[in-house]
Amino acid sequence: MKKLWLPVALWAISLAITLSIAKADASPGYVGSETCQSCHEGAYSAWAKSHHAKAWMEPSPDTVSGDFNNAVFEHLGRETRFFEENDRYFIETSDVQEGPKVLEITGVGGIAPLQQYLVEIEPGRQQSLDIAWDQVKKRWYHLYPDQKLPPDDAFHWSGPYKNWNARCAECHATGFEKNYLAKERRYQSTQAEIGVGCEACHGPAEEHLKWSEAPQTYAASPFPGTNDFGLLISFSEEVAEREIQQCAGCHSRREPFLDGNPLPGTPYHDSYRLALLRDGLYHADGQILDEVYVYGSFLQSKMYDKGVRCSDCHEPHSASLKATGNAVCTQCHSEAGSDRFPTLTTKAYDDPAHHFHEPGSQGAQCQSCHMIERIYMGIDGRRDHSFRIPRPDMSVSLGTPNACTDCHADKTAAWAAGVLETRFPQSASRGPHFAEAFSAARNDRAGNSEDLIGIAKHAKFPAIVRASAIDLLRTRATPEILKELQSLLLDESPVVREAALSLQSQLPPQERFAAVADALKDPLRSVRIAAARQLIGAPPVGVSEETKRAAQAANKEWQTALIAKLDFPETHTIIGGTALALRNPQAAIRAFQEATNLDAQLVDGWIMQIRIHMALQDFAAAQFTLQKALLANPANPVLLDFKRQFTQQ
């Protein structure tokens, strides 16, 4: 029965099998951003100067900002020379296998505050250099100044984790398709346009162009989903979520399900699995920590809850703020208020009585207190979009950061907490916070499951917070907890439904299929895939034929999502683990082998191969695998312990 629901053939994906990804249904063709200019001159002109337009460019004197006048950059003993010949740009570097080598610059990524450069290390495989150009200080600098990786390390700039096709291009291009050929480990990527063009947000415009040429006689588009203007998506003031989800596709930390850009208008949760507020990504109180972009923090905000959208603050074509300084915020946060947000208290916010700093100073800026800034890629400051009230009192109790001591670095969190308590003695903003329960769970302190359950069930918490509370319950879920949270399988939020499904892994296999049956038919792909993940080893006991068909369809979606990421080492560890759960050790070995082929430093992948060989009594294969693992990881203590075990036998 297991083969019926999760074909072992999938989990035995190997280089001897060529797999193709099913393409999306037919859609209108792309026509290019320049085609839009004649009718939309103002929008086009604003876009042409934007970061979106310059997200990915061909190298030329007009696009390259870095010093290619034989500039030499040295990093921990390795030299890279940047030079130009006949308007073509090159590097000569020793920081590459079998170096030094001369490599041509094939692409330019971004415009400010830094600019990155791409090289093609083999046909079709684009890599982004770890040396970038600082546009402010006009200098070359290394993104990881303390890091000196050997060229065969997977995290080296030439390795799979820095691959442009897999990790970057989707959000720097329009109509991108990765087209990774797993059998040959190479890329045949294509895109309609480099850079984030008009059609990246508005959709392919072939039919819209036909409409514009003869709007009175335009017949209905032959493509499903297009509107009366021949476009797949239209933005309106009444539907904020459509705009937010369109932006979130790139401005979020997430796992993609597809091979490239989803068509504009595709719901976010049909295309991606959103990263929750996990340790290492976010602080316990939900503040940004790692490079999580914007969406996850914005979902926590009152602004999102009240219907604020990206274009309320950002002009969508130029991608710049709609006003300067505090004027962005005082569009609504003022004595006049806003008719759109009647619950917002009307008062003078841009006033010393509110911010108690010198007017015009950095401390008087709304963003300084309510949008902490964190630096990524060495020099790129990005702001937290949860728009939170500073909580230095939680910094004292939990160690989370706060905006006050971000600026007043010479002061303590206790000092800042005292100042706020004095100025706002009756504030309701110093009450209990989900951070307390999250911090306790992250530190594995027992006894707070009830707190997490309460957060998960509390509809007034942001959905991402509720889902994150459920996520923290996964390792401690009891039958009682599962029963308590069963209703969340039908929650209105897809991220809550996904998280609730993850708890079902604690059920006995014979009960699991029935528990996730409804989710297999969920309207959103992310939930259906989450349900499919729970079917490993679960027999279809007592379920209808309709549910069995839904299970097959959901499994196919999960398979397609995995196939779309066969160039990710981590995908093969998932396939290997699934094959083990299905008691197919040979398929598991092949999957873990491919994981270590892509990332030789993935020690867990080596260990799994060794352990499976040993379980199969194939000690020669286990020893041979160990030798290969030690060549790539000679000082790893776990591998050395295996070596001692073999020596003693």
Side-chain angles (χ1 to χ4, degrees):
M1 297 299 290
K2 292 173 184 173
K3 289 187 179 182
L4 176 62
W5 303 115
L6 277 172
V8 171
L10 168 69
W11 314 116
I13 291 170
S14 70
L15 299 181
I17 302 173
T18 301
L19 292 168
S20 62
I21 296 174
K23 299 299 179 185
D25 293 336
S27 62
Y30 289 89
V31 299
S33 295
E34 289 187 0
T35 307
C36 307
Q37 182 176 8
S38 59
C39 292
H40 305 280
E41 176 61 44
Y44 179 87
S45 297
W47 165 82
K49 298 187 285 288
S50 73
H51 286 213
H52 281 157
K54 300 177 187 300
W56 182 2
M57 302 174 286
E58 297 284 355
S60 75
D62 294 329
T63 61
V64 172
S65 300
D67 180 4
F68 279 81
N69 188 24
N70 282 312
V72 176
F73 180 80
E74 190 272 335
H75 176 251
L76 301 178
R78 296 175 182 168
E79 282 194 353
T80 300
R81 181 171 68 94
F82 298 82
F83 65 99
E84 176 188 355
E85 286 184 2
N86 301 321
D87 289 342
R88 294 168 64 189
Y89 299 85
F90 300 87
I91 63 166
E92 181 180 23
T93 183
S94 60
D95 189 18
V96 67
Q97 292 197 56
E98 300 178 3
K101 285 183 179 178
V102 172
L103 299 167
E104 184 170 5
I105 301 298
T106 55
V108 179
I111 189 66
L114 67 141
Q115 188 170 78
Q116 282 191 279
Y117 298 93
L118 314 181
V119 297
E120 193 173 73
I121 60 172
E122 59 186 59
R125 184 182 294 268
Q126 302 254 33
Q127 302 287 143
S128 56
L129 293 170
D130 276 349
I131 304 169
W133 179 252
D134 182 337
Q135 294 280 37
V136 177
K137 295 184 178 179
K138 304 300 180 185
R139 63 179 180 114
W140 292 108
Y141 78 103
H142 202 282
L143 297 176
Y144 310 98
D146 301 322
Q147 190 179 81
K148 184 180 181 181
L149 297 174
D152 60 353
D153 191 290
F155 281 94
H156 185 263
W157 70 262
S158 60
Y161 299 111
K162 306 293 177 64
N163 176 258
W164 180 263
N165 311 66
R167 308 282 174 165
C168 311
E170 177 193 347
C171 286
H172 289 254
T174 304
F176 178 77
E177 292 183 358
K178 183 171 60 175
N179 294 331
Y180 177 69
L181 305 180
K183 181 180 179 181
E184 301 155 34
R185 295 199 195 108
R186 66 185 181 89
Y187 295 92
Q188 287 186 333
S189 302
T190 63
Q191 57 277 327
E193 180 178 355
I194 62 171
V196 181
C198 306
E199 294 164 291
C201 301
H202 294 282
E206 178 187 32
E207 285 297 308
H208 179 63
L209 196 61
K210 292 178 182 177
W211 169 86
S212 71
E213 291 168 349
Q216 303 303 321
T217 59
Y218 176 71
S221 167
F223 301 103
T226 51
N227 59 26
D228 293 341
F229 307 103
L231 290 171
L232 291 169
I233 184 172
S234 57
F235 301 106
S236 67
E237 292 187 3
E238 291 75 30
V239 189
E241 190 65 17
R242 185 180 299 149
E243 175 189 310
I244 293 168
Q245 289 195 23
Q246 185 60 38
C247 299
C250 284
H251 295 274
S252 64
R253 182 79 167 249
R254 78 290 192 276
E255 173 195 346
F257 296 144
L258 307 176
D259 186 51
N261 295 135
L263 285 170
T266 304
Y268 181 91
H269 297 284
D270 269 345
S271 305
Y272 306 106
R273 181 187 184 194
L274 178 66
L276 299 178
L277 309 182
R278 287 182 170 165
D279 196 10
L281 297 181
Y282 295 86
H283 291 283
D285 62 350
Q287 291 186 74
I288 60 173
L289 174 60
D290 200 17
E291 194 171 12
V292 291
Y293 310 101
V294 171
Y295 188 46
S297 59
F298 185 54
L299 288 175
Q300 301 173 56
S301 71
K302 287 184 179 179
M303 291 193 180
Y304 172 76
D305 183 58
K306 298 299 183 183
V308 173
R309 66 190 69 198
C310 311
S311 61
D312 284 325
C313 302
H314 302 271
E315 200 288 316
H317 298 106
S318 67
S320 58
L321 290 171
K322 296 179 78 169
T324 303
N326 288 349
V328 177
C329 306
T330 56
Q331 293 180 101
C332 299
H333 294 266
S334 68
E335 293 169 298
S338 169
D339 292 340
R340 282 177 55 202
F341 309 109
T343 61
L344 178 63
T345 302
T346 55
K347 67 174 186 178
Y349 289 85
D350 190 8
D351 187 277
H354 176 75
H355 56 64
F356 52 89
H357 285 80
E358 183 69 27
S361 69
Q362 192 61 37
Q365 300 304 302
C366 306
Q367 64 183 14
S368 295
C369 294
H370 301 294
M371 298 181 73
I372 61 167
E373 184 179 56
R374 293 294 176 258
I375 305 299
Y376 303 100
M377 303 184 79
I379 62 172
D380 190 4
R382 303 178 200 168
R383 294 195 176 273
D384 190 308
H385 278 62
S386 55
F387 305 102
R388 62 184 64 235
I389 293 171
R391 291 290 304 266
D393 58 309
M394 289 202 308
S395 301
V396 174
S397 59
L398 301 178
T400 51
N402 71 88
C404 305
T405 54
D406 261 14
C407 291
H408 298 278
D410 59 331
K411 303 290 187 180
T412 66
W415 166 83
V419 170
L420 291 184
E421 187 168 2
T422 299
R423 290 185 176 274
F424 304 101
Q426 305 301 319
S427 175
S429 300
R430 285 193 294 275
H433 195 280
F434 67 80
E436 292 145 350
F438 281 22
S439 178
R442 288 179 177 189
N443 290 289
D444 205 25
R445 294 201 294 273
N448 80 321
S449 292
E450 286 302 318
D451 294 334
L452 294 172
I453 292 170
I455 294 167
K457 295 178 69 175
H458 201 312
K460 290 194 175 181
F461 275 112
I464 191 172
V465 173
R466 298 172 60 216
S468 299
I470 299 170
D471 190 54
L472 287 166
L473 285 165
R474 278 188 306 147
T475 58
R476 59 184 76 191
T478 62
E480 292 74 23
I481 290 176
L482 287 173
K483 185 176 180 180
E484 182 84 8
L485 298 181
Q486 185 177 8
S487 63
L488 299 186
L489 291 169
L490 301 175
D491 193 85
E492 66 177 19
S493 165
V495 293
V496 172
R497 297 199 298 276
E498 282 181 62
L501 282 163
S502 71
L503 297 182
Q504 307 312 304
S505 62
Q506 305 301 315
L507 286 172
Q510 63 271 21
E511 298 178 21
R512 214 180 303 146
F513 210 113
V516 305
D518 288 339
L520 293 167
K521 295 169 277 190
D522 195 274
L524 292 169
R525 183 184 282 122
S526 63
V527 180
R528 296 193 298 270
I529 289 176
R533 292 168 69 98
Q534 302 306 315
L535 297 183
I536 301 171
V541 176
V543 297
S544 66
E545 288 300 317
E546 180 188 7
T547 298
K548 292 177 184 178
R549 289 191 295 271
Q552 290 174 326
N555 275 322
K556 185 176 180 181
E557 289 183 305
W558 185 22
Q559 293 170 14
T560 301
L562 288 171
I563 292 168
K565 297 183 289 290
L566 286 179
D567 51 343
F568 288 23
E570 56 268 38
T571 299
H572 296 276
T573 64
I574 295 171
I575 294 172
T578 305
L580 279 180
L582 294 172
R583 295 181 174 83
N584 189 328
Q586 296 301 331
I589 289 171
R590 288 194 291 272
F592 288 120
Q593 282 175 338
E594 183 59 9
T596 53
N597 283 335
L598 294 171
D599 178 2
Q601 286 72 46
L602 193 63
V603 173
D604 286 348
W606 291 113
I607 291 171
M608 291 305 299
Q609 293 174 58
I610 294 166
R611 286 179 173 165
I612 297 169
H613 284 309
M614 292 175 69
L616 295 174
Q617 304 289 302
D618 191 347
F619 297 108
Q623 286 186 318
F624 181 64
T625 301
L626 176 61
Q627 291 170 8
K628 293 197 295 183
L630 284 168
L631 280 175
N633 308 275
N636 183 269
V638 179
L639 295 175
L640 290 172
D641 187 54
F642 271 113
K643 183 178 180 181
R644 281 191 291 272
Q645 292 178 40
F646 282 121
T647 303
Q648 292 167 4
Q649 288 179 355

